[in-house]
Amino acid sequence: MTALTTQQVEQLHTAARAAQARAHAPYSRFRVGAAVLDESGRIHAGCNVENAAYPLGMCAEALAIATMVREGGRSVRGLLVVGEGEHLVTPCGGCRQRLREFASDATPVLVADLERVRAQFTLGELLPASFGPENLA
């Protein structure tokens, strides 16, 4: 696993919490924030944005990745997701595949609540034997 520094984890957590506070979740009331660290050390955050037509909603992780790409980032070096509740809020299957487009199996994926990181995985642990860009090379 590519290690993140304590400072990077704190910055990701701060950015994800700030994004979570801006989530648009009027239907589920389940607010999620996410932040990615790119290859240049920049942090890009996103929040979930729900829509009355449920399939049109957007996950926090998807928005964070899209923001990274918009800002010129091309590689995810780490991801932190903030959610509340008893259970861990890990990326959904679609977001795991989105991450795979920009991250390696060794990329750390941290899961946190408002106070602390609760668990850490690699993308490979969350999406084993994945299909990625190299499959199309």
Side-chain angles (χ1 to χ4, degrees):
M1 179 182 321
T2 307
L4 297 175
T5 67
T6 301
Q7 181 180 14
Q8 288 170 326
V9 171
E10 289 172 3
Q11 291 171 331
L12 285 166
H13 196 212
T14 298
R17 282 193 327 253
Q20 182 199 29
R22 294 182 173 213
H24 178 73
Y27 309 107
S28 72
R29 307 241 188 300
F30 191 76
R31 301 161 76 83
V32 179
V36 296
L37 175 71
D38 74 12
E39 72 278 9
S40 298
R42 297 174 299 175
I43 293 176
H44 311 276
C47 60
N48 58 319
V49 179
E50 294 179 348
N51 189 287
Y54 287 135
L56 297 179
M58 185 178 300
C59 296
E61 300 90 330
L63 185 53
I65 292 167
T67 301
M68 177 194 77
V69 171
R70 186 198 72 211
E71 296 297 321
R74 293 292 175 249
S75 179
V76 173
R77 299 292 190 226
L79 166 79
L80 187 142
V81 180
V82 169
E84 297 177 53
E86 176 185 344
H87 301 286
L88 295 176
V89 179
T90 60
C92 72
C95 285
R96 292 175 192 201
Q97 188 62 49
R98 283 181 185 89
L99 275 170
R100 181 63 181 83
E101 186 70 19
F102 299 98
S104 73
D105 283 343
T107 301
V109 177
L110 291 81
V111 180
D113 57 24
L114 292 176
E115 303 300 320
R116 64 184 172 82
V117 172
R118 295 179 56 199
Q120 183 169 338
F121 305 93
T122 64
L123 181 56
E125 290 171 327
L126 293 176
L127 191 65
S130 65
F131 183 88
E134 64 279 353
N135 292 97
L136 300 174

